[in-house]
Amino acid sequence: VVSTQSTGWMLPILQSKKTERQVQDYIVRCLENTINDIIDAKELVEISPSDFFGYFDLVFTINSNLYPQVQLLLLEMLEMVKCMAFADDPVRKLRSYFPSLLIRLQP
């Protein structure tokens, strides 16, 4: 069984103000490894809306503390993260994601 729990605690670390580049790179590698394990295992993995929006906000925050290269790597992985968020039933899932998406569209 592939678990996303191993990387869930790491995303808030990326949001902290003084995260070293090496730490950011390590966290992104762990996330990449987790995603690759999920792909290799061909398992259906579900992430919660709070995990998805934590990732989403991290990728699209303009004044984030991420190094630009790290932010680009996270953006590249967004498609796989979306698949994990909406995987089993996109129509049902989108209903629970839609309000949070609307909030993020407001300036």
Side-chain angles (χ1 to χ4, degrees), residues 10 13-14 18-30 65-67 69-70:
M10 293 183 189
I13 294 171
L14 290 176
K18 299 216 180 214
T19 306
E20 298 283 330
R21 174 64 188 263
Q22 295 85 354
V23 174
Q24 289 187 12
D25 288 341
Y26 173 76
I27 292 171
V28 170
R29 280 194 309 274
C30 288
N65 299 312
L66 296 176
Y67 290 92
Q69 183 180 2
V70 172

Side-chain angles (χ1 to χ4, degrees), residues 21 24-25 59 62 64-76:
R21 174 64 188 263
Q24 289 187 12
D25 288 341
V59 171
I62 294 171
S64 76
N65 299 312
L66 296 176
Y67 290 92
Q69 183 180 2
V70 172
Q71 197 162 11
L72 286 173
L73 287 170
L74 291 173
L75 182 61
E76 290 172 7

Side-chain angles (χ1 to χ4, degrees), residues 1-3 37-46 80 84 87:
V1 175
V2 179
S3 172
D37 289 347
I38 291 167
I39 292 169
D40 292 344
K42 296 180 182 166
E43 290 187 32
L44 182 63
V45 174
E46 209 173 295
M80 187 60 190
M84 289 188 292

